[in-house]
Amino acid sequence: MVAKNRKQTGKSPATQADRDKSPLAFVSHPGKSTVRRPFNSSHPNGLSGIGRRLFGLTPSAVAKLGITLLLAALTGYLHWHHVTQLFENDRHFSHLSNLEKEMAFRTEMGLYYSYYKTIIEAPAFLDGLHTVMNDRLTEYPLVINTLKRFNLYPEVVLASWYRMYTGVMGYFGIPTKMCWSINRGEGLTPVDSCEGMGDPAYFYVTFVFLLNGAMMSLFFIYGAYLSGSRLGGVVTAMCFFFNHGESTRVMWTPPLRESFAYPFLVLQMLLLTYILRTRNPSRTAMVALGVSNLCFMLPWQFAQFVLLTQVASLFASYILGYLAAAKMQSILVTHMITLAVCFVLMFGNSMLLTSFYASSLVSIWAIIALRDRFAQVFRPGVVLWVMQGLAWVGSTVLLKFMLSTVLCASDDAHISGLIKSKFTSYKDFHTLMYTCAAEFDFMEMETPIRYLRTLLLPINMLVVAVIAGRTVQDVVRFLRDGGKASVKPEDVDEAAGSEIAANGELVYHSLQLVAFAVLAVLIMRLKLFLTPHMCIMASLICSKQLFGWIGERFKHQLAVFAVMAIMAIQGVANLQAQWGIIGEFSNLPQEELLDWIQDNTRPDSVFAGAMPTMASVKLSTGRPIVNHPHYEDAGLRERTKLVYSMYSRMSEETVKGNLMKLGVDFFVLEDSWCTRRTRPGCSMPEIWDIEDPLNAGKIPLCTHMSRSSRPHFTTVFSNDIYKVLKVPKASKDLR
């Protein structure tokens, strides 16, 4: 809300109190004064009370609140429409048959969707839930709880909603879908295609896109709240759209875990910003933070790594004096409770307790509890900061490996290998399976160039430079004063009103940006965290707090509009390129394979092959498989390694023995996996050369199999892409 500014010589207590009432209350900045104004988190030209009790708002504030919510809703609708249209344009999804829709969910997407399909096709919801919790098809002959292993709560929720929706609509006789026959031409048989919320796949992707539309509304509110101006929300939304291809993959890969989890991270960070800004956050705010945290962790196994960077950024803010000990401890307790609840809901998934995130929470708690002892032993200032940082790193690593040893957990061992490979020449079979995929490689040079063209990178560099400059001034002043205000023994949040602590939220966001940048540089897939956060930080160009030196409000807004106009030159071109993507999904070779499996094999026939193909086999035929694309389990990694020996240079006898050991009836061979090479050293035979150097130089077994599968296997099906090899019947006796 734009409020009249009156001149004053210091901060008004009433102004501070007003700001503390609401997570979305923007207050006016004090007018010019002879006293140096502290660099704090109050903002001008913003809303005056989103989230405050409505009877406490003036009519003007209610109107402005309504405008903000309307703009947020409009932004969310535009994003929902955008991703829905891109998905439809890319696949012509509405005109695909049920089988083609399932095939469109490739690799792990198909695996996740298969459990949704299992629950909705079960006689009752509880029967379906019992089936996925006692799954016998995914890692034959093992019986596993897939809800524990694969973070399947989104599928469980959507399946329950689908069953309720179709049940209610059926009870009232209301049609829920429209079906028609599609003539595919080229001598292909026509297929039936259905569209509408009664179609399982349509229902599934619709809710994914609705959730991500709501996420865009949150982004608008987030940008407006952080910058103190609705214009900041507009800048955030425009940056996201202009860099859409770098910000999300939801329009191409709806069932991935990030599609369900990331919107809740946006909500969690918005709530965290409110908590950092508020002197005494309420219990309701902390509970909301915990719930959003839980909703982020439950759908995605990688959430723990993101939360680790968040806790680390908050701890750095605490060390520098921008976050009081009491508030930091409250946030840590919320994280700990959330982690414990998630551990229970995930049926004791050991990866949660043995993560660096869990160890970091305990380590930071201990360091804060011993803050007085640290202050007594080390001189306040740089030495104290460094020792606290070293204590955190050392204790976190030590505790993590102690817990892993005690709990005998090795599921995340590949993460250590992946990190090690980024900084050394280390490589093994499992590490190369990750690093040879482009999304797990280092960030490509084209990405920062694209950021430059839309001005996203320059704007962020400017914003971070301004925040860093003021932070350095605070640090220098603190060191010059001898560190007298370093540690406050009191448990109350007295530091919240000080000149240094008031800057905490912006320091945190800058540190979080750096952490996301490091993750994205090391693993390109993780730029989905970096780019949206850069869009959030870009909103700060609208902050009078940071850029009030530009001049009066009109001049400042004129400068922002000029920047947005320049951004739009490349941004609109990026959007037009996305809108120009027109395709139609078709995979006839795989369709032939799945039809053959359905018609010519027993329901209990066991299959092995490339991980993406196995997900499709399980989804569309319901046949048992021995390996799949969810590579985060140590046992599954070893099973996949045995299966992929078909693409090594080992002897036929050895590979046949591996498949017999797993109880495989049929192996799906793909020549492309034998010859595909994303870069030197990344073909499957070359990956095996690292693991099996004794056979290096020999002709790969898959090359022999593509010519003739005799005498150890029998070819029972083949087309241009796939060849199905039957493992000798004798393997049944060895199970």
Side-chain angles (χ1 to χ4, degrees), residues 113-179:
Y113 183 82
S114 70
Y115 302 109
Y116 165 79
K117 179 182 177 182
T118 297
I119 296 175
I120 65 174
E121 292 184 348
F125 172 75
L126 292 180
D127 293 332
L129 187 61
H130 180 271
T131 300
V132 300
M133 293 177 64
N134 298 271
D135 181 88
R136 301 173 182 271
L137 302 180
T138 306
E139 293 182 9
Y140 180 90
L142 304 179
V143 178
I144 63 173
N145 183 350
T146 58
L147 191 57
K148 171 184 177 180
R149 284 275 300 278
F150 305 143
N151 301 79
L152 296 178
Y153 277 98
E155 280 66 31
V156 172
V157 171
L158 287 180
S160 67
W161 289 355
Y162 177 82
R163 294 182 70 104
M164 288 188 290
Y165 171 75
T166 54
V168 171
M169 294 296 103
Y171 178 81
F172 289 105
I174 302 174
T176 59
K177 60 182 178 180
M178 181 179 297
C179 300

Side-chain angles (χ1 to χ4, degrees), residues 279 437 613:
R279 181 185 298 243
T613 305

